[in-house]
Amino acid sequence: MSENNSGGPMRWDEHARGGAGGWVRASDGRTGPPDEPAPDPDPDSGRRTVPKKYVLLAVGGGLAVAAVVLVVAHAVRPSAPEAAHSAGPSSSSSPSVALSGSTETDPQPSGPPTASAEEQATAVDELLERSESDRQQVIDAVNAVEACASDGTVAAAGQALDEAAVRREGLITDLAALDVGELASGSLAAGSLRTGWQHSADADRAFADWADDAQGCSPGAVPRTSSYRRGVRSSELATGAKEEFLAHWTPIAASYGLPERDTAEL
């Protein structure tokens, strides 16, 4: 008690000494336990307080401004394809520009000019001239086998017939390379002539085989073998095809002043 009175008047505090109670100075204004720190004064008590409604208005206005900025930024920002385009031409676009320029300036290659109808008819007539010269050689070779003057003459005739067949096939190849599109019935005439020459080539080879069969023959006694009969049959087919050709060719030849021909000349 004497220690407590030396500091001033005392009072009983039930919270002193950890809740057991005890005497404390009356000047100590704390009502809580002595070991609890006194509450700190409000550090912001001296600041001016802004009304809450103004704070909410300021926050809302800031959000509105931020939203406007985002909308404007999105509107002016280029899209991905536009940004890629504005960045400059890519390396892949340059060749296409150069190619389109070269297409417009470079002339396109053109094929050979189409021959006139008269030129096409003249080209066919030239092949007919060649065929006429071969025909005479075939006639001479067949007569040589028929005569059977000697084995040598028969063998030579057979060789001549083989060569005639090769030339006939050459005529067929050259005819296929001709353009007859400007001629009336030109394709029909060419088709018939090609068939006739093919049968003629078959006949030439068949008569060449007949010449081989005739080796050792006697004059005037040449056997008529199967090769001979095959040659005769092919000659008949050739004549029929050539007659069909002449039905188409004769009006064409007359139109362009070309000589008329018959099957014997073909």
Side-chain angles (χ1 to χ4, degrees), residues 154-183:
V154 171
Q159 183 177 355
L161 290 166
D162 281 329
E163 293 173 354
V166 172
R167 288 192 297 271
R168 304 266 197 189
E169 291 167 351
L171 289 171
I172 295 172
T173 300
D174 294 341
L175 176 63
L178 293 183
D179 181 9
V180 293
E182 299 298 320
L183 299 176

Side-chain angles (χ1 to χ4, degrees), residues 8-264:
M10 303 295 289
R11 66 178 178 83
W12 178 263
D13 190 348
E14 62 181 357
H15 297 293
R17 298 180 182 180
W23 291 98
V24 297
R25 296 184 188 91
S27 60
D28 190 350
R30 294 180 298 173
T31 60
D35 55 343
E36 293 180 0
D40 294 335
D42 185 3
D44 296 331
S45 61
R47 298 179 184 177
R48 182 177 180 180
T49 303
V50 179
K52 185 176 181 179
K53 64 179 181 178
Y54 293 116
V55 174
L56 294 176
L57 289 174
V59 173
L63 293 176
V65 171
V68 171
V69 172
L70 289 177
V71 170
V72 172
H74 179 74
V76 300
R77 183 181 61 186
S79 61
E82 293 175 349
H85 178 73
S86 62
S90 62
S91 59
S92 61
S93 63
S94 298
S96 63
V97 173
L99 180 60
S100 62
S102 62
T103 301
E104 294 176 358
T105 57
D106 296 341
Q108 293 296 328
S110 58
T114 303
S116 65
E118 183 176 0
E119 291 171 336
Q120 293 178 4
T122 301
V124 175
D125 186 72
E126 290 174 355
L127 294 183
L128 299 179
E129 287 285 348
R130 286 169 50 188
S131 174
E132 185 176 355
S133 62
D134 288 336
R135 171 184 174 275
Q136 188 59 48
Q137 293 181 12
V138 169
I139 293 175
D140 292 342
V142 170
N143 290 335
V145 176
E146 185 71 36
C148 191
S150 65
D151 290 342
T153 58
V154 171
Q159 183 177 355
L161 290 166
D162 281 329
E163 293 173 354
V166 172
R167 288 192 297 271
R168 304 266 197 189
E169 291 167 351
L171 289 171
I172 295 172
T173 300
D174 294 341
L175 176 63
L178 293 183
D179 181 9
V180 293
E182 299 298 320
L183 299 176
S185 302
S187 59
L188 295 175
S192 299
L193 182 59
R194 180 168 52 251
T195 300
W197 278 341
Q198 185 60 62
H199 286 311
S200 292
D202 294 340
D204 295 340
R205 295 192 186 283
F207 286 132
D209 293 338
W210 175 53
D212 293 338
D213 297 340
Q215 288 293 328
C217 61
S218 301
V222 179
R224 299 291 192 265
T225 64
S226 60
S227 298
Y228 174 84
R229 292 191 295 272
R230 190 173 70 251
V232 171
R233 177 57 181 163
S234 294
S235 294
E236 292 173 349
L237 293 174
T239 299
K242 292 172 184 178
E243 288 175 347
E244 183 178 348
F245 161 72
L246 289 175
H248 299 297
W249 175 252
T250 300
I252 296 174
S255 298
Y256 301 105
L258 299 173
E260 294 186 8
R261 302 182 185 276
D262 56 25
T263 56

